């Protein structure tokens, strides 16, 4: 069975921002927010940044208010996306050709203004852009965001290929019933990709696997 759309996660997949986030979270953000405990970045990777604050408040003693937390993330995002993050190699050439065949969407825990920073910097055009902010339900690892994204491209989830790099993202895509390609980007070696339907560890293999699942390699 060929799939009919592809839904890409942004951080750690379309842009190599994940290792910058891991570094900032480990070095600056988590010690600032939770001074009395050590929180591993892998605990929160793939989650929406507003939900991360709620999660930390539930499990740890948090020293900063949500407003300060959100402002710090927005500030860090502007720096990472505008100055540091690089686009997935080969994606700029792949995207326009693929969009001629199937809908291509970006599905991210990040807010729309972060997605726009990436889209504008690399001049990318997608058929749909879905943020965790668009849904009423919980973000990744819950399935809601991928169920919603499948609805946006007007397909059942099992007709959609998803590409994810984090355990929370993979869990979300699989729970929604999508076919998930797990991308081992090397940003965080502690992440477990075993729940994905296919696991790849290079940009070339990633795009080739997506093409195969979409029937674009015929």
């Amino acid at each position: 069975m060929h799939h009919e759309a592809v839904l890409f996660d942004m951080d750690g997949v379309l842009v190599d921002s994940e290792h910058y986030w891991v570094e900032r979270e480990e070095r600056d953000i988590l010690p600032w927010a939770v001074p009395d405990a050590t929180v591993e970045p892998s605990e929160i990777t793939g989650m929406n940044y507003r939900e991360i604050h709620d999660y930390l408040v539930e499990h740890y003693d948090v020293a900063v208010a949500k407003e300060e937390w959100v402002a710090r993330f927005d500030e860090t995002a502007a720096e990472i996306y505008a100055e540091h993050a690089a686009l997935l190699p080969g994606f700029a050439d792949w995207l326009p050709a693929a969009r001629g065949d199937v809908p291509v969407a970006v599905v991210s825990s990040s807010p729309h203004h972060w997605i726009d920073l990436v889209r504008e910097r690399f001049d990318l055009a997608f058929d749909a852009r879905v943020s965790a902010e668009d849904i009423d339900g919980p973000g990744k690892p819950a399935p809601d965001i991928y169920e919603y994204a499948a609805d946006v491209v007007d397909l059942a989830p099992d007709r959609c290929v998803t590409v994810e790099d984090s355990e929370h993202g993979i869990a979300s895509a699989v729970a929604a019933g999508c076919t998930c390609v797990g991308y081992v980007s090397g940003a965080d070696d502690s992440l477990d990709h075993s729940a994905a339907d296919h696991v790849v560890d290079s940009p070339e293999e990633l795009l080739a696997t997506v093409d195969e699942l979409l029937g674009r390699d015929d």
Side-chain angles (χ1 to χ4, degrees), residues 48-218:
N48 174 262
Y49 70 136
R50 291 172 187 275
E51 289 188 17
I52 293 170
H53 191 271
D54 302 337
Y55 168 85
L56 293 174
V57 166
E58 200 180 317
H59 296 281
Y60 299 95
D61 289 328
V62 176
V64 302
K66 195 166 191 173
E67 291 72 21
E68 295 174 86
W69 171 269
V70 166
R72 183 80 176 258
F73 263 76
D74 273 335
E75 202 178 288
T76 307
E79 182 201 331
I80 290 175
Y81 299 123
E83 297 169 30
H84 298 298
L87 188 64
L88 180 75
F91 188 75
D93 293 328
W94 180 89
L95 178 61
R99 285 189 64 218
D101 299 332
V102 294
V104 180
V106 57
V107 179
S108 178
S109 292
S110 292
H112 276 287
H113 59 285
W114 297 7
I115 298 172
D116 287 341
L117 285 170
V118 170
R119 192 175 55 83
E120 286 160 16
R121 181 172 167 211
F122 298 110
D123 195 24
L124 304 174
F126 296 98
D127 295 285
R129 301 190 301 281
V130 175
S131 159
E133 294 183 338
D134 299 335
I135 59 169
D136 290 334
K140 304 172 185 180
D144 305 47
I145 191 168
Y146 277 110
E147 292 169 350
Y148 176 83
D151 202 40
V152 169
V153 296
D154 206 21
L155 290 165
D158 67 358
R159 309 302 292 174
C160 300
V161 178
T162 62
V163 185
E164 272 287 355
D165 71 311
S166 71
E167 291 172 42
H168 287 122
I170 291 168
S172 173
V174 169
C178 302
T179 297
C180 185
V181 178
Y183 179 44
V184 184
S185 66
D188 185 344
D189 296 335
S190 68
L191 295 177
D192 178 8
H193 296 78
S194 60
D197 299 289
H198 305 269
V199 179
V200 300
D201 63 6
S202 74
E204 298 76 22
E205 193 187 1
L206 169 55
L207 293 174
T209 302
V210 169
D211 278 342
E212 197 179 319
L213 290 166
L214 294 171
R216 295 188 68 245
D217 59 343
D218 295 350

